[in-house]
Amino acid sequence: MAAVMPLMTRIPAPPPAASRLLLSGNEAVARAVWESGVRVAAAYPGTPATEIIESLARYPDLHTEWSVNEKVSMEVALGASITGARAFCAMKHVGLNVASDCLMTMTITGANGGLVIAVADDVGMSSSQNEQDSRYWGRFAHIPVLEPADSQEAYEMTKFAFALSEQYETPVLLRLTTRICHVKALVTVGEREAHEPAGFVKNPQRWVMVPAHAKQRIPNLFKRDDTLREVSEASPFNVLEAGSDRRVGFVASGPAYMHVKEAFPDAPVLKLGFSYPWPPEKVRALAAMCDTLLVVEETEQLLETEIKAAGIACHGKDVLPRIGELSPQVLLPAVDQLLGKAVPPPAVADAPLKVFPRPPTLCASCPHMGIYYTLSQIKNIIVSGDIGCYTLGAGHPWNALDTTICMGATMGVALGMDKGRGEVDKNKRILAVIGDSTFMHMGMQGLLNITYNQGNVTVLLLDNNTTGMTGGQATPASGKDIHGNAAPRVHLEKIVEALGVPPERIKVVDPYELPVLFKAVRDEIKTEGPSVIIGRRPCVLTEEFKPFRPYLVIEDKCTGCGNCIDVGCPAIHVTRRDRVVKPSGREVDLAFVNIDNQACTGCGLCVQPCAPDAIQHVARHDIPIHIVKS
């Protein structure tokens, strides 16, 4: 193991010709990756990390790609590192779960060219199904963890990470959070420095991870931990700041440090940027500077537990919440409570205004609406869902999804329902809904499992020709690469058939054609065995989507039946509600509507369930020019 070299722990200084740019944390990381001479960068889109590779794709002199999933992106980066090239991959926190199989082995092989993994934790769950703390992966994999607190540090730590990786032959984890990823600040940047790969050196004992080879290399992990702890103690990223108010001292990292400084500017603070291995001597020094030590970390009590295990008294999650961001509004009352001050109860909020609820919904003319409207009309079914825009099908007015777990889970969950159901569910039909990008990410294995195990499941494969949820990124089925250039286009029908679905059980339908779609679903769920219905129509936010003439409601014809509302299009607005009594004495609620033709793109979904023919095309001379495309 190499001796500690303090020189390598210095923050890289920008060259004299450096300039200042307004960058988000994601953009700052991308800039640093490019400047570091990286040759290969790979990712799968996932908020809040998506913009890293999107920004990096604009730079020359390196290969960037959307990989089919996070595991593949990490394997691509490792392969480049093995040849001596600097390499990078990025993902959100749940993506690191997918990539962990590769991670836990490459921490044993180590890196050759500098290898950095950026993982973005969605603290507060702005756009994720759970809230994870990726710092655990540093401990689990025995790799160093860096935590920037702003865009400038995101840039500096990324550049430092490549040097650290090469010096100690280790992957490095750059832990970001949503606030770091998306908040912009001025960043002093430099220029790209070329880094020529040293080349591949044949070494099966290192790169062929059979048990005998792994056993020989695992002791290196523990030696590396000890060495990197010395580096952490000396690192300028770990800053001990004195303060005049010694009642409480704080250990904090990432954006939590910024919150601490805002709430308690006069308190002593240990700012951890090189957070694993953490520096125990600096923590002890901080403890000597204050009466009470408080560990402020988002989200788990990871560091608190380790500090206590080292024999250093501290507080943490006994006074701070374990979920969400630790803003000053959270810190101030928690510290008052810790100091024994009376904490006033929260102020009584004003009664909320009675406004119409506005839950998240699909876009006007989204092709997924046709799918969910159809499913909402079919009884005696169980529908498992997946991760994507189409997860919104679980909401109003469709209420069409019964489960959503993780990327690609719909297939396995559906098969488990099919095989595990008892007498009470024996007559119910099982459907699985999945998007095209998710299908290629992790769904193909699930479909293979259904066909191999002869499951009685109907799969609705929603092909909107993009990764819609994260902003419309290209996929292997879109025929474009990350730069918008032509790329080989996979055919989902052929993949589905190759995975074992009989050709006669594969249907391709237009989700705007409700009668055809309804018949296809009805026919397939009645037939035993696996089947796939591909709903094909481009996402309305992509260039491939071509709007039609918009519609309007003829007021004199509208009967208030509300059938069009059940489609779920946000371009349809309720203008008046009435309750009438039928001759039979039955009370009926009526909802009269209009259509915002600035939002309507003429998909026709609302027209088909309208019995009185009250929805008609806008006259051509009334259409704003920017709407008419076809």
Side-chain angles (χ1 to χ4, degrees):
M1 181 61 63
V4 178
M5 292 184 176
L7 177 65
M8 295 299 288
T9 66
R10 295 176 185 167
I11 301 172
S19 59
R20 301 188 77 195
L21 302 174
L22 183 64
L23 302 175
S24 68
N26 283 342
E27 292 167 333
V29 170
R31 175 76 187 200
V33 169
W34 176 70
E35 288 186 21
S36 298
V38 166
R39 295 175 67 91
V40 174
Y44 181 83
T47 305
T50 305
E51 296 85 2
I52 299 177
I53 293 293
E54 285 186 330
S55 299
L56 195 53
R58 302 187 185 107
Y59 289 98
D61 306 322
L62 80 164
H63 169 79
T64 52
E65 69 171 53
W66 288 126
S67 302
V68 294
N69 63 35
E70 295 86 357
K71 180 176 182 288
V72 172
S73 77
M74 188 174 287
E75 291 160 352
V76 169
L78 175 59
S81 173
I82 290 172
T83 70
R86 285 188 167 182
F88 173 80
C89 63
M91 59 204 69
K92 68 184 293 179
H93 61 293
V94 289
L96 191 51
N97 300 337
V98 177
S100 62
D101 192 14
C102 177
L103 175 69
M104 296 306 295
T105 298
M106 78 181 190
T107 187
I108 302 174
T109 67
N112 188 7
L115 178 54
V116 177
I117 306 154
V119 57
D121 285 0
D122 190 10
V123 177
M125 292 176 285
S126 299
S127 58
S128 305
Q129 69 269 38
N130 60 40
E131 186 181 56
Q132 294 175 199
D133 193 330
S134 294
R135 295 177 302 159
Y136 276 105
W137 287 110
R139 279 75 173 168
F140 197 12
H142 298 272
I143 57 175
V145 178
L146 305 176
E147 292 188 72
D150 58 22
S151 295
Q152 183 68 52
E153 283 196 348
Y155 167 84
E156 292 169 351
M157 288 185 184
T158 302
K159 297 192 74 172
F160 168 72
F162 285 103
L164 182 71
S165 173
E166 288 174 347
Q167 182 175 356
Y168 298 103
E169 298 184 346
T170 177
V172 177
L173 194 67
L174 182 72
R175 190 231 186 180
L176 310 168
T177 68
T178 302
R179 188 164 294 273
I180 298 299
C181 291
H182 292 161
V183 172
K184 291 200 173 191
L186 286 172
V187 179
T188 302
V189 301
E191 295 299 328
R192 180 172 170 89
E193 297 179 6
H195 184 275
E196 187 62 27
F200 173 70
V201 177
K202 188 176 180 67
N203 185 354
Q205 286 72 31
R206 180 178 183 184
W207 302 118
V208 180
M209 274 297 99
V210 294
H213 296 165
K215 289 175 183 177
Q216 294 175 9
R217 292 194 59 84
I218 282 180
N220 293 338
L221 302 184
F222 310 121
K223 293 179 183 178
R224 190 169 71 203
D225 278 350
D226 294 338
T227 303
L228 289 173
R229 192 171 300 281
E230 297 178 47
V231 177
S232 178
E233 288 282 4
S235 174
F237 288 126
N238 294 333
V239 182
L240 186 57
E241 302 175 356
S244 58
D245 183 357
R246 63 169 290 138
R247 291 177 301 168
V248 180
F250 298 88
V251 179
S253 61
Y257 164 77
M258 296 297 194
H259 297 319
V260 167
K261 292 299 290 183
E262 180 180 346
F264 306 99
D266 299 322
V269 179
L270 174 57
K271 176 187 179 300
L272 292 180
F274 196 138
S275 67
Y276 181 77
W278 61 279
E281 296 310 315
K282 283 189 174 177
V283 176
R284 289 190 174 93
L286 174 66
M289 297 166 59
C290 61
D291 300 328
T292 301
L293 190 63
L294 179 61
V295 182
V296 181
E297 51 188 335
E298 298 172 340
T299 56
E300 298 287 348
Q301 56 193 88
L302 189 158
L303 191 57
E304 174 193 347
T305 302
E306 293 177 343
I307 290 174
K308 288 178 177 177
I312 304 171
C314 66
H315 292 273
K317 295 304 181 183
D318 53 332
V319 295
L320 294 172
R322 293 185 64 175
I323 62 172
E325 293 185 304
L326 301 180
S327 66
Q329 291 74 22
V330 174
L331 290 173
L332 287 165
V335 171
D336 282 345
Q337 181 182 357
L338 182 62
L339 295 175
K341 294 183 180 181
V343 179
V348 178
D350 295 333
L353 296 175
K354 293 183 178 180
V355 297
F356 188 79
R358 295 179 180 272
T361 189
L362 296 168
C363 300
S365 298
C366 175
H368 301 337
M369 288 192 297
I371 299 290
Y372 289 129
Y373 175 77
T374 298
L375 294 181
S376 69
Q377 305 301 307
I378 299 176
K379 308 302 180 186
N380 212 32
I381 60 174
I382 304 175
V383 183
S384 66
D386 221 290
I387 303 297
C389 295
Y390 50 92
T391 310
L392 293 169
H396 186 78
W398 314 283
N399 304 311
L401 292 182
D402 298 308
T403 70
T404 297
I405 307 300
C406 62
M407 290 283 280
T410 183
M411 304 288 195
V413 168
L415 181 63
M417 289 176 172
D418 175 44
K419 299 298 185 182
R421 55 181 156 177
E423 197 66 22
V424 67
D425 293 321
K426 70 175 183 179
N427 293 322
K428 293 181 179 177
R429 304 299 178 175
I430 309 297
L431 293 92
V433 178
I434 192 167
D436 53 337
S437 183
T438 309
F439 176 72
M440 290 176 284
H441 175 280
M442 198 61 74
M444 293 188 288
Q445 299 93 326
L447 180 57
L448 177 60
N449 199 50
I450 289 173
T451 59
Y452 176 65
N453 291 288
Q454 303 176 65
N456 187 18
V457 176
T458 297
V459 176
L460 287 162
L461 176 48
L462 313 185
D463 180 14
N464 64 359
N465 201 36
T466 191
T467 309
M469 178 176 61
T470 51
Q473 291 77 24
T475 75
S478 66
K480 296 180 180 178
D481 65 12
I482 192 172
H483 304 287
N485 299 323
R489 185 173 196 160
V490 303
H491 295 277
L492 295 178
E493 301 96 307
K494 293 181 179 179
I495 291 177
V496 168
E497 183 179 352
L499 291 173
V501 180
E504 66 274 12
R505 300 299 305 280
I506 303 170
K507 305 288 174 61
V508 180
V509 299
D510 183 344
Y512 283 174
E513 298 178 0
L514 293 180
V516 177
L517 174 61
F518 186 89
K519 183 178 186 304
V521 174
R522 184 190 60 190
D523 291 348
E524 292 306 319
I525 63 175
K526 286 181 178 179
T527 308
E528 296 292 319
S531 63
V532 173
I533 300 170
I534 301 174
R536 179 162 291 150
R537 172 67 71 162
C539 170
V540 298
L541 300 182
T542 62
E543 294 178 356
E544 286 74 19
F545 178 77
K546 305 300 180 186
F548 306 103
R549 293 168 60 195
Y551 287 92
L552 54 74
V553 176
I554 308 300
E555 293 184 10
D556 294 342
K557 288 191 173 186
C558 180
T559 62
C561 69
N563 289 344
C564 59
I565 299 173
D566 292 338
V567 171
C569 181
I572 300 174
H573 301 162
V574 177
T575 59
R576 177 168 57 91
R577 292 185 181 273
D578 286 340
R579 173 168 289 187
V580 299
V581 179
K582 296 287 187 178
S584 63
R586 184 170 63 93
E587 290 187 347
V588 178
D589 289 322
L590 302 179
F592 297 89
V593 302
N594 66 17
I595 294 175
D596 179 1
N597 64 25
Q598 294 291 316
C600 176
T601 63
C603 70
L605 284 171
C606 61
V607 178
Q608 297 171 70
C610 179
D613 194 27
I615 301 176
Q616 298 181 12
H617 275 301
V618 173
R620 283 203 176 272
H621 63 271
D622 291 333
I623 307 173
I625 293 175
H626 70 275
I627 288 184
V628 180
K629 290 188 178 179
S630 65

